[in-house]
Amino acid sequence: MIIGAGGVASVAAHKVAQNPDVFTEVMIASRTREKCVRLVHSIEQAYAGKPMPTFSTAKVDADNVEELVALLREFQPEIVMNLALPYQDLTIMEACLQAGVNYLDTANYEPRDEAHFEYSWQWAFKDRFEQAGLTAILGCGFDPGVSGIYTAYAAKHHFDEIQYLDIVDCNAGNHHKAFATNFNPEINIREITQKGLYYEDGEWRETEPLEIHQPLTYPNIGPRESYLLHHEELESLVKNYPTIRRARFWMTFGQQYLTYLDVIQNLGMSRIDEIEYEAPLADGTGKNVKVKIVPLQFLKAVLPNPQDLGENYDGETSIGCRIRGLKDGKERTYYVYNNCSHEAAYKETGMQGVSYTTGVPAMIGAMMFLKGIWKKPGVWNVEEFDPDPFMEQLNVQGLPWHEEFDGDLEL
Ligand code: NDP
């Protein structure tokens, strides 16, 4: 069962449809059922005449555990792919436990009223999933997701000790809009306007938002200004690879994007607290009513929908891990990355590259589970599973990776 029918869910649904030997019956359930129906319709058109899973749709409020449990008991899926929003992680995990269903997501839990993410809330489910014999796979998109799998692959094959890890995320695409975000605007703006955080010598170090930046050179793209952000996979990676001395996450932003972001913040439109707003009643009486709105949620409603960016999006993304450490007593560097073309992603799935690079790994994670390769009771981050079969599927499913040894990491 796929929960959510946005950009990432659309890509995952297409990829599921392309793998009917693994996925046979699929339900797409989301808040707005029409979106699920439209998605299924577009898939049925895209793969007409080819073997395909059977698709069904349902309306569900994923904030409501009871509603979720009822739907899960009715459909009885083997695994839920949670591709709704980070706010729903805990309710969906709770419902999975009550209904005896396995779980996968692509982003860690975030409370609505605080722009703060960490794994503790979801790791707290570990014993219950273990006792129930159920598997929960956390953070199985690209970053988090492939970034952790790249690190696990590096640790397994190329290093005795990983000491420095830099995850580098470049979007060199152009959607030809003045300002738009590549995934859910509310989640995206919350992430970028937070303080930065990185790990060094056993401690977490905080920075002002976007305070640390430097140009980094991305393959096939060239130099791009890259900004240090806090990103959730750092939390699990430094725990699972205790030899890491420093772990950081970098993301590129264009100057125009940053200028708009600055204005949005200065106007108060990135606020996540409720404000009172006087709105006209819809009954035509001309009377007003006081309503509470969250400025950032209002902004989301007027910004371009990330799902509609695909059509004129050109350029590519480049996301990878730059790693320094020891192998056979010698220092070595390693860079593993994928470049993904927005145009090619759109041609295949109707969505741009950022949704594509998230939806494909989500499908592969579910595939790993259904094939019995990534099946172990408990709550796990992706790097705690065998990376090899996943890496193999990345090459098959549209996200091929490349390696560079002993080059200049710039970091
Ligand atoms: P979208 O906003 O496009 O889609 C979210 C979907 O979830 C929408 O269909 C929405 O319904 C649905 N939804 C929201 N609230 C509920 C609810 N209460 N009950 C049921 N359905 C609900 O987001 P994206 O597809 O861009 O992102 C999906 C997830 O992927 C997010 O968690 C995001 O953080 C994560 N992500 C992860 C990345 C990674 O690399 N790991 C990168 C990019 C995104 P409706 O259509 O009615 O609004």
Side-chain angles (χ1 to χ4, degrees), residues 4 29-33 36 58-61 63 85 88 300:
S30 190
R31 182 167 54 189
T32 314
R33 186 165 187 186
C36 309
K59 174 178 166 55
V60 75
D61 175 6
D63 290 317
L85 297 178
Q88 278 87 45
K300 173 184 182 277

Side-chain angles (χ1 to χ4, degrees), residues 3-11 29-33 35-36 38 59-64 67-68 82-89 91-92 105-108 110 112 139-147 169 182-188 191 231-233 251 300 305-307 319 351-352 354-355 357-359 361:
I3 300 187
V8 175
S10 299
V11 172
S30 190
R31 182 167 54 189
T32 314
R33 186 165 187 186
K35 280 200 191 172
C36 309
R38 270 205 304 276
K59 174 178 166 55
V60 75
D61 175 6
D63 290 317
N64 183 322
E67 222 180 274
L68 282 167
N82 167 15
L83 305 177
L85 297 178
Y87 311 135
Q88 278 87 45
D89 287 4
T91 45
I92 298 178
D105 67 29
T106 63
N108 71 5
E110 216 178 300
R112 259 180 230 272
C140 198
F142 207 106
D143 43 347
V146 177
S147 54
D169 178 332
N182 294 297
F183 64 95
N184 186 286
E186 191 184 331
I187 304 298
N188 191 207
E191 173 179 276
H231 227 244
E232 60 205 59
E233 65 265 53
M251 191 179 268
K300 173 184 182 277
N305 183 346
Q307 276 173 267
I319 317 175
M351 296 293 142
Q352 35 84 357
V354 176
S355 302
T357 53
T358 312

Side-chain angles (χ1 to χ4, degrees), residues 32-283:
T32 314
R33 186 165 187 186
E34 301 81 76
K35 280 200 191 172
C36 309
V37 172
R38 270 205 304 276
L39 175 55
V40 170
H41 186 66
S42 76
I43 287 172
E44 282 169 351
Q45 276 186 326
Y47 307 103
K50 295 189 179 145
M52 236 200 340
T54 329
F55 280 93
S56 55
T57 62
K59 174 178 166 55
V60 75
D61 175 6
D63 290 317
N64 183 322
V65 175
E66 261 175 50
E67 222 180 274
L68 282 167
V69 171
L71 187 66
L72 290 172
R73 289 207 170 120
E74 190 191 317
F75 184 65
Q76 299 189 357
E78 282 183 59
I79 186 165
V80 159
M81 297 164 75
N82 167 15
L83 305 177
L85 297 178
Y87 311 135
Q88 278 87 45
D89 287 4
L90 303 187
T91 45
I92 298 178
M93 287 180 88
E94 178 60 42
C96 280
L97 273 170
Q98 289 186 25
V101 178
N102 302 283
Y103 174 88
L104 173 145
D105 67 29
T106 63
N108 71 5
Y109 174 69
E110 216 178 300
R112 259 180 230 272
D113 55 358
E114 194 192 345
H116 174 78
F117 49 81
E118 60 173 56
Y119 276 116
S120 62
W121 290 291
Q122 290 183 275
W123 285 342
F125 281 81
K126 194 174 178 84
D127 289 348
R128 290 174 71 202
F129 269 80
E130 207 176 299
Q131 279 154 20
L134 295 170
T135 303
I137 302 168
L138 303 186
C140 198
F142 207 106
D143 43 347
V146 177
S147 54
I149 291 151
Y150 281 168
T151 308
Y153 186 79
K156 182 170 173 182
H157 297 286
H158 302 309
F159 288 92
D160 298 325
E161 196 175 298
I162 292 183
Q163 296 174 332
Y164 299 93
L165 168 68
D166 285 282
I167 299 166
V168 293
D169 178 332
C170 170
N171 182 3
N174 187 351
H175 45 53
H176 304 282
K177 306 259 188 238
F179 181 86
T181 61
N182 294 297
F183 64 95
N184 186 286
E186 191 184 331
I187 304 298
N188 191 207
I189 292 172
R190 281 165 67 116
E191 173 179 276
I192 295 163
T193 52
Q194 271 196 49
K195 290 207 170 182
L197 198 69
Y198 66 101
Y199 179 85
E200 193 165 37
D201 297 330
E203 278 174 24
W204 289 98
R205 298 180 190 224
E206 201 173 76
T207 72
E208 287 308 308
L210 308 181
E211 178 190 345
I212 298 181
H213 53 100
Q214 69 173 79
L216 295 175
T217 307
Y218 296 89
N220 207 33
I221 292 168
R224 287 284 191 281
E225 201 62 18
S226 306
Y227 294 79
L228 187 148
L229 294 186
H230 176 36
H231 227 244
E232 60 205 59
E233 65 265 53
L234 299 181
E235 190 189 353
S236 66
L237 285 168
V238 300
K239 182 173 150 272
N240 289 320
Y241 296 95
T243 57
I244 291 181
R245 295 181 188 169
R246 188 185 64 206
R248 301 179 293 191
F249 182 94
W250 305 82
M251 191 179 268
T252 61
F253 300 107
Q255 197 46 55
Q256 173 156 318
Y257 182 93
L258 294 176
T259 306
Y260 270 82
L261 196 67
D262 214 25
V263 174
I264 285 168
Q265 279 185 281
N266 289 339
L267 291 175
M269 289 306 295
S270 60
R271 280 173 58 175
I272 59 170
D273 54 324
E274 284 184 339
I275 58 151
E276 208 162 74
Y277 176 74
E278 199 151 308
L281 272 173
D283 61 3

